[in-house]
Amino acid sequence: MKIPDFRAGDTVTVHYKIIEGNKVRTQPFTGIVISKRGEGVSKTFMVRRIGANGVGVERIFPLASPNIEKLVVEKTGKVRRAKLYYLRQKVGRQATKVKERFGGTVAIPESPVTEEESIVTAKPAEEKAQETASANKSAKSE
């Protein structure tokens, strides 16, 4: 199974295979990735969620585990550090609050007016104010 790219701050759902006796079931675990560590086959990641009664639940998953059936990245988080252990001290809504990251770059919409045209057609603030005042006077007189 190919694991998608994710990092600390992302909200993920890990579908983990649980074996109980001779029964096999899949248990989804949704939470915020608070750390990734290790190299190669021993690489692990830690997911934290707020469980029942506001109790924080953390779980460590091996990245190369055959028991991970599926890993879905629900939201991408915008964080400034690799380990989010400070979320352990947060309570309630604050513990799940991570800004969302939209893609990797910020898209700036292109304007149809070129730079040269904007310089030529730009009017000083005084001329704009005079035009507005004269337009208001003509509207009142009618």
Side-chain angles (χ1 to χ4, degrees):
M1 183 197 84
K2 188 173 184 314
I3 303 284
D5 287 336
F6 65 96
R7 55 189 191 185
D10 293 353
T11 302
V12 296
T13 300
V14 182
H15 295 272
Y16 203 72
K17 196 184 318 177
I18 307 270
I19 302 167
E20 296 172 333
N22 51 359
K23 288 185 188 176
V24 178
R25 65 183 175 88
T26 302
Q27 182 181 39
F29 190 88
T30 303
I32 298 174
V33 178
I34 62 171
S35 72
K36 283 176 79 171
R37 62 183 309 220
E39 286 283 324
V41 180
S42 64
K43 188 176 272 193
T44 61
F45 62 100
M46 190 181 306
V47 180
R48 178 181 174 82
R49 77 167 181 208
I50 304 300
N53 298 327
V55 177
V57 179
E58 290 182 5
R59 195 153 172 203
I60 300 172
F61 295 98
L63 201 60
S65 172
N67 290 336
I68 295 179
E69 287 186 352
K70 185 167 56 169
L71 192 140
V72 180
V73 178
E74 305 290 338
K75 288 193 307 189
T76 54
K78 181 181 178 185
V79 292
R80 292 183 171 189
R81 54 194 73 231
K83 308 286 190 259
L84 305 180
Y85 298 136
Y86 66 88
L87 291 178
R88 292 174 176 166
Q89 278 74 45
K90 305 283 185 183
V91 178
R93 174 88 176 105
Q94 296 297 319
T96 62
K97 212 169 187 182
V98 173
K99 287 185 180 176
E100 194 165 349
R101 173 173 43 91
F102 298 102
T105 59
V106 176
I108 300 171
E110 293 183 23
S111 79
V113 180
T114 62
E115 210 172 295
E116 293 174 9
E117 291 174 350
S118 64
I119 294 171
V120 173
T121 58
K123 295 182 181 179
E126 294 173 4
E127 286 181 25
K128 287 182 182 179
Q130 288 175 356
E131 285 180 5
T132 323
S134 62
N136 289 340
K137 286 180 185 177
S138 64
K140 286 181 183 177
S141 63
E142 293 177 356

